[in-house]
Amino acid sequence: MIELYGASWCRGCRLSKEYLKAKNIEYTYYKDDGTEEFWDEVEERCGSRAIPQILIYDNHIGGYLDLKRIIP
């Protein structure tokens, strides 16, 4: 299971979603809803408030370039 934290204004987030769709890989997308709770969750699960943040089976892998490296 892949989880992606992102926002509509984030280029890396858009590229990550497009990459996963092109690979026919299902994922859960958590979009920035403008709340502090969203950012608190991103930081708690991923150790950073930067986006995109991607997890595979609850293991934080990083962002878009990390995704491409792990799933070529």
Side-chain angles (χ1 to χ4, degrees), residues 4 6 16 51 72:
L4 168 62
S16 296
I51 51 174

Side-chain angles (χ1 to χ4, degrees), residues 17-65:
K17 292 188 319 184
E18 290 172 1
Y19 188 76
L20 290 168
K21 285 178 187 175
K23 296 280 187 181
N24 292 317
I25 298 173
E26 292 185 26
Y27 63 95
T28 301
Y29 180 61
Y30 303 107
K31 182 180 175 187
D32 172 16
D33 61 2
T35 66
E36 190 65 25
E37 288 82 14
F38 172 84
W39 294 105
D40 289 345
E41 182 175 330
V42 173
E43 185 172 25
E44 181 179 319
R45 292 195 70 202
C46 305
S48 173
R49 287 182 172 237
I51 51 174
Q53 293 295 333
I54 302 167
L55 297 103
I56 300 177
Y57 293 106
D58 286 325
N59 294 305
H60 178 247
I61 64 154
Y64 172 63
L65 295 178

